[in-house]
């Protein structure tokens, strides 16, 4: 795992796009969909953070 996890960055961008979409939905009166879109954005952010943490931990030298 020597390469930077570009998937984590892509997931963070996806989460940001979904948050922006949720704001648009709220502005246009589609309140019933905002919670679902925010849940997807949070899931994307969580997955991006988990991917980055796993990448960082895999790069550390092993003590054994």
């Amino acid at each position: 795992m020597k390469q930077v996890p570009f998937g984590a960055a892509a997931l963070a961008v996806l989460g940001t796009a979904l948050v922006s979409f949720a704001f648009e939905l709220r502005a246009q009166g589609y309140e019933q969909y905002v919670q679902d879109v925010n849940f997807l954005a949070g899931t994307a952010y969580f997955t991006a953070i988990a991917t980055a943490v796993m990448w960082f931990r895999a790069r550390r030298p092993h003590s054994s």
Side-chain angles (χ1 to χ4, degrees), residues 5-54:
F6 292 109
L11 285 168
V13 169
L14 175 64
T16 304
L18 286 170
V19 168
S20 175
F21 183 55
F23 282 129
E24 283 293 318
L25 287 174
R26 182 165 294 174
Q28 294 183 8
Y30 293 103
E31 285 286 330
Q32 67 266 29
Y33 302 114
V34 171
Q35 185 176 2
D36 295 332
V37 173
N38 280 335
F39 174 77
L40 290 174
T43 303
Y45 283 133
F46 176 79
T47 306
I49 291 169
T51 302
V53 167
M54 287 190 319

